[in-house]
Amino acid sequence: MKNIFFLVSFILFFVTSFSQDVSDDIEVYLNNIIDDLPGSSGNDYQKPTTAELNTWGEILDSIFSNQLETANDLANTLNYKVVDFLDNTLQENNRFYIIEEEEPRSKYWGVYVISKDPLRDKL
């Protein structure tokens, strides 16, 4: 019985390790994040180290290579997460990747929104 519990727990961990899918109104979602940020009276920003900046670059490279699990694993090392966001208020170009800090927040490096299918002229 103990082995079955361990196996189920193990499977649940890996199935939910990148269950960062959200379907909502992106404007409402981002406004909730903004409302939770500290006021301008505080000095809460924590300057990233060179290693943290390098990890951040790896996160972006992983997202642009469509390796979301890797991106999320890297983001977790910085107390951030990658959310695969579907805006249910838009007809097209409605999938975004949001990189946001997990609770408890301490770095305050910002929230980043990347469009999966941006509208732009091809060169």
Side-chain angles (χ1 to χ4, degrees):
M1 187 67 173
K2 205 183 226 186
N3 289 340
I4 292 174
F5 175 74
F6 176 76
L7 180 62
V8 170
S9 298
F10 183 78
I11 290 170
L12 285 175
F13 172 77
F14 279 100
V15 168
T16 60
S17 66
F18 189 70
S19 60
Q20 306 287 338
D21 296 338
V22 175
S23 179
D24 203 351
D25 180 333
I26 196 165
E27 187 175 348
V28 171
Y29 187 86
L30 293 175
N31 279 331
N32 287 335
I33 292 172
I34 291 167
D35 289 343
D36 288 341
L37 293 176
S40 61
S41 61
N43 188 13
D44 299 309
Y45 174 78
Q46 190 179 90
K47 185 176 179 180
T49 66
T50 300
E52 290 169 328
L53 288 172
N54 290 337
T55 300
W56 197 263
E58 291 174 31
I59 293 167
L60 294 175
D61 287 343
S62 296
I63 289 172
F64 295 134
S65 300
N66 206 30
Q67 298 172 348
L68 298 183
E69 222 173 308
T70 300
N72 195 54
D73 290 344
L74 290 165
N76 285 333
T77 68
L78 301 175
N79 196 41
Y80 271 73
K81 65 181 175 181
V82 178
V83 177
D84 187 355
F85 194 96
L86 178 67
D87 187 329
N88 57 20
T89 67
L90 300 175
Q91 297 272 329
E92 57 184 328
N93 298 68
N94 60 348
R95 182 159 305 278
F96 302 90
Y97 300 123
I98 300 174
I99 309 169
E100 64 177 285
E101 191 169 14
E102 297 264 26
E103 296 287 342
R105 293 185 178 112
S106 63
K107 297 181 186 333
Y108 299 102
W109 294 342
V111 176
Y112 300 85
V113 180
I114 301 166
S115 175
K116 169 87 169 125
D117 299 305
L119 294 173
R120 63 176 169 224
D121 294 332
K122 306 254 189 226
L123 297 178

